[in-house]
């Protein structure tokens, strides 16, 4: 309803879909939406359809009061916080699956995850009717899938991907970082450190993707508390693995630090 009024008034809508528990990564998306668009809409919905049974849905951090205040200070005009039954009433039956792209990297490790993401984002887009939607580069595969979905389903929405926001010591900001103990927090730095070394190796002329992956693996394995889920070098459009780093290549990784699964990535473009 609100979106219809805004459209009638020819107001542009910038949209930041989130699962809440804000950090500076979310705030940078909200600030950018506010800066470039007439109205900045932020949604908070912890979407059960993108969690599998053994994942952290129940303990996923939530603090609506804190989020409301942070969103307001960052410039959000509208905060949309639907209930579970608003989004998935009894008898809900429709899903969106971006074939291929959703089955690799995090999709391989978390089957059904991106079907849940694509479904909820489609619903949120239908409700909010944004002109531009903002996502973070930390979830690189998610952004690539959403872009493909928007293109395939002829959604008239621009997808903007903003750089990963990092802590001072390089750890990519994530709501899940709060699960880390002090020791794990230190171990978690290996993700970014390994990616920086990979960037430097490519800058110095290394083009062999297997060597780059082995190097990253070596750095992460130095931390006894770290368990690699995957490390891959893939084409940024198809997400197909590459042997040589010649065009734009996404190096993405997921690593368990203790019980917490963290992701990070970099785009290499020699
Ligand atoms: O990136 C997230 O926080 C979620 O995957 C999203 C896009 C809000 C969908 O639930």
């Amino acid at each position: 309803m609100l979106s219809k009024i805004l459209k009638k008034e020819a107001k542009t809508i910038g949209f930041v879909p989130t699962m809440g528990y804000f950090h500076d990564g979310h705030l940078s998306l909200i600030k950018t939406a506010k800066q470039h668009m007439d109205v900045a809409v932020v949604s908070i919905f912890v979407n059960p359809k993108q969690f599998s049974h053994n994942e952290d849905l129940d303990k996923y951090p939530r603090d609506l009061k804190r989020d409301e205040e942070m969103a307001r200070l960052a410039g959000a005009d509208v905060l949309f916080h639907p209930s579970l039954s608003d989004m998935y009433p009894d008898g809900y039956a429709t899903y969106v699956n971006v074939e291929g792209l959703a089955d690799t990297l995090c999709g391989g490790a978390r089957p059904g995850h991106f079907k849940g993401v694509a479904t909820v984002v489609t619903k949120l887009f239908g409700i909010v009717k944004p002109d531009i939607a903002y996502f973070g580069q930390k979830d690189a595969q998610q952004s690539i899938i959403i872009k493909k979905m928007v293109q395939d389903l002829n959604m008239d929405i621009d997808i903007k991907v903003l750089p990963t926001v990092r802590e001072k010591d390089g750890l990519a900001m994530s709501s899940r970082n709060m699960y880390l103990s002090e020791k794990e927090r230190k171990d978690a730095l290996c993700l970014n450190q390994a990616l920086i070394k990979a960037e430097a190796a490519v800058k110095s002329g290394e083009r062999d993707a297997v060597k780059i992956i082995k190097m990253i693996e070596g750095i992460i394995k130095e931390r006894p508390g770290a368990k690699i889920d995957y490390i891959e070098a893939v084409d940024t459009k198809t997400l197909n693995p590459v042997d040589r780093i010649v065009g734009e290549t996404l190096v993405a990784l997921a690593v368990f630090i203790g019980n917490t699964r963290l992701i990070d990535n970099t785009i290499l473009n020699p």
Side-chain angles (χ1 to χ4, degrees), residues 17-19 45 47 50 117 120-121 135 139 142:
T18 80
M19 298 207 298
F45 179 65
N47 173 36
Q50 66 190 75
V117 171
V120 80
V121 170
F135 293 86
D139 297 302
Q142 170 169 281

Side-chain angles (χ1 to χ4, degrees), residues 39-50:
V39 179
V41 179
V42 178
S43 68
I44 299 181
F45 179 65
V46 182
N47 173 36
K49 298 215 183 278
Q50 66 190 75

Side-chain angles (χ1 to χ4, degrees), residues 30-131:
I30 299 172
K31 284 178 191 161
T32 306
K34 179 65 184 173
Q35 217 177 325
H36 294 285
M37 308 300 280
D38 294 327
V39 179
V41 179
V42 178
S43 68
I44 299 181
F45 179 65
V46 182
N47 173 36
K49 298 215 183 278
Q50 66 190 75
F51 290 78
S52 64
H53 294 302
N54 58 350
E55 288 183 332
D56 57 346
L57 172 64
D58 290 336
K59 70 170 182 133
Y60 195 83
R62 295 163 170 90
D63 191 340
L64 188 59
K65 272 256 140 339
R66 170 182 167 274
D67 285 348
E68 272 170 356
E69 181 62 5
M70 288 171 83
R72 195 180 57 76
L73 290 174
D77 298 294
V78 180
L79 192 66
F80 177 53
H81 177 52
S83 69
L84 187 58
S85 59
D86 288 336
M87 293 301 280
Y88 303 116
D90 277 353
Y92 185 84
T94 305
Y95 293 87
V96 179
N97 192 28
V98 182
E99 287 178 5
L101 292 180
D103 304 325
T104 156
L105 305 176
C106 284
R110 304 178 69 190
H113 170 68
F114 288 114
K115 184 174 161 196
V117 171
T119 300
V120 80
V121 170
T122 301
K123 285 176 67 67
L124 291 167
F125 282 178
I127 297 164
V128 176
K129 304 187 183 6
D131 299 283

